[in-house]
Amino acid sequence: MKIFISYPMKSSTYNGGHETHAFHLAVLAKNIDPTATVVNPWMDIPNVTKEDYWRESNRLLLDCDAILLGLGWEQADGCDFEYRTARAMGKKIMFQYPVVVRK
């Protein structure tokens, strides 16, 4: 299984910033499935323009089986877009914490 981790890049809602947030999500993903490949777009995409980053990030998401949404995802446009894309594509959707999602 490939698990795409999605979290606010600014991570203003997460103590320790986005690097710590990404690390905690990767550990959680491995706890969910120890054999999973964790896909972290922030780490896996080289320094590119914002448009190129979004294009490549979405390509990575489409190649994954599941998405793991981190704390604060509801307030981040990119995370919301990734959530909606994953939902439309029928991917498994997981959350770092329990959340009620609007339909």
Side-chain angles (χ1 to χ4, degrees):
M1 176 188 299
K2 286 173 109 175
I3 301 174
F4 183 95
I5 58 174
S6 177
Y7 54 96
M9 292 302 166
K10 294 178 185 168
S11 286
S12 59
T13 59
Y14 199 81
N15 187 20
H18 67 272
E19 292 98 349
T20 302
H21 200 175
F23 174 78
H24 289 161
L25 286 170
V27 169
L28 178 57
K30 285 295 195 175
N31 284 332
I32 292 168
D33 182 350
T35 64
T37 300
V38 178
V39 177
N40 178 352
W42 187 78
M43 295 295 291
D44 296 340
I45 300 173
N47 191 14
V48 294
T49 66
K50 184 175 183 177
E51 182 177 309
D52 288 340
Y53 176 86
W54 275 58
R55 183 178 295 114
E56 183 63 14
S57 176
N58 287 304
R59 188 193 66 73
L60 290 172
L61 172 59
L62 292 175
D63 288 340
C64 290
D65 305 296
I67 185 170
L68 175 58
L69 293 148
L71 181 67
W73 73 271
E74 311 93 333
Q75 289 85 37
D77 291 338
C79 296
D80 183 62
F81 182 82
E82 291 162 349
Y83 162 75
R84 291 176 185 277
T85 300
R87 189 170 136 211
M89 299 304 296
K91 301 202 178 285
K92 183 176 184 175
I93 299 174
M94 302 173 287
F95 301 94
Q96 185 177 9
Y97 61 97
V99 65
V100 175
V101 179
R102 299 183 314 258
K103 294 211 179 208

